[in-house]
Amino acid sequence: MIKIVLFGPPGAGKGTQADILKDKYNLIHLSTGDIFRYNMKNNTPLGKEAKAYIEKGQLVPDKVTVEMLKDEVNRQKEANGFIFDGFPRTQTQAIALDEFLENKNEKIDGMIALEVSDEVLVQRLLERGKTSGRADDANEEVIQKRINVYHEETAVLKNYYEKQGKYYGVDGEGSIEEITERLSNVIDKIKAE
């Protein structure tokens, strides 16, 4: 079973690539956004708790996010592996994920980060904003703030996974097919180890 953390700034193409890779390698794509929406829509106890924070304009605590993710992983008993998308976002979440997997005699096999220049990200997101209707993709100032937050948050995670020898930076610029090939080369390398 392979477990990959797919990371990258907003507009790096994580969702696009995760959809391709999950099919190619028969993996479960775990997107924290999807997990949050599922729990809130279905009024699960964790969904209600998360919704209470969100409605107050507060960040959902790591503890709630981690519990939602654990529930989702535990539901997927027949999984061949996982692509974690948007999780972990903090070192606390990364440590909690490691501890959870350790209790299952599992581990994260690698963190693959899509590396894309800020200029390309801004252009991609502005383009996506024209078609998606997402307000956060239509304003260049908001986009730049999101990119800055990503850089601040991920520096810690990059170091965390580098210390474990599990960090893989991948050029996230070029065609979808070129990026998929680069990611596949890394996943094949991880699987072979």
Side-chain angles (χ1 to χ4, degrees):
M1 180 186 289
I2 188 164
K3 287 152 299 315
I4 302 290
V5 173
L6 185 59
F7 228 78
K14 294 180 302 293
T16 300
Q17 292 299 329
D19 281 342
I20 295 167
L21 296 170
K22 76 177 170 86
D23 292 337
K24 180 173 182 176
Y25 292 97
N26 191 26
L27 303 173
I28 303 290
H29 174 204
L30 294 179
S31 158
T32 47
D34 292 345
I35 294 169
F36 268 72
R37 284 184 285 279
Y38 170 85
N39 278 276
M40 289 190 295
K41 180 181 170 209
N42 291 291
N43 280 321
T44 69
L46 288 169
K48 290 177 187 174
E49 198 173 338
K51 193 174 187 177
Y53 285 101
I54 291 167
E55 285 175 349
K56 292 178 198 163
Q58 299 172 335
L59 288 175
V60 178
D62 286 342
K63 179 181 174 289
V64 176
T65 305
V66 169
E67 288 305 315
M68 277 188 198
L69 189 92
K70 286 180 182 179
D71 285 352
E72 192 62 30
V73 169
N74 286 331
R75 282 188 22 210
Q76 308 289 345
K77 298 200 185 320
E78 303 301 314
N80 192 40
F82 296 95
I83 297 174
F84 295 95
D85 172 4
F87 186 91
R89 284 190 190 270
T90 65
Q91 186 164 327
T92 302
Q93 289 179 358
I95 291 167
L97 179 59
D98 282 350
E99 289 171 354
F100 167 65
L101 291 173
E102 229 172 75
N103 289 333
K104 300 169 89 48
N105 293 319
E106 297 285 346
K107 64 182 178 13
I108 289 296
D109 296 293
M111 176 207 210
I112 306 174
L114 288 167
E115 297 172 343
V116 183
S117 71
D118 288 1
E119 297 76 29
V120 170
L121 292 171
V122 169
Q123 289 311 307
R124 284 183 184 175
L125 289 169
L126 287 171
E127 196 57 41
R128 184 169 83 181
K130 292 176 188 172
T131 57
S132 72
R134 286 179 52 169
D136 60 343
D137 286 346
N139 181 316
E140 193 166 338
E141 193 176 310
V142 172
I143 290 170
Q144 195 57 57
K145 282 182 185 169
R146 288 168 55 209
I147 293 169
N148 292 343
V149 167
Y150 167 82
H151 289 308
E152 290 164 18
E153 288 179 354
T154 55
V156 174
L157 287 173
K158 179 179 179 182
N159 293 338
Y160 180 80
Y161 286 107
E162 273 182 334
K163 284 179 185 169
Q164 297 179 24
K166 295 180 180 179
Y167 178 84
Y168 303 87
V170 171
D171 180 0
E173 295 184 26
S175 71
I176 290 172
E177 295 77 20
E178 290 169 333
I179 298 165
T180 301
E181 185 176 340
R182 290 180 207 133
L183 289 167
S184 297
N185 289 339
V186 172
I187 292 172
D188 292 343
K189 178 183 170 194
I190 291 170
K191 286 176 71 174
E193 290 174 351

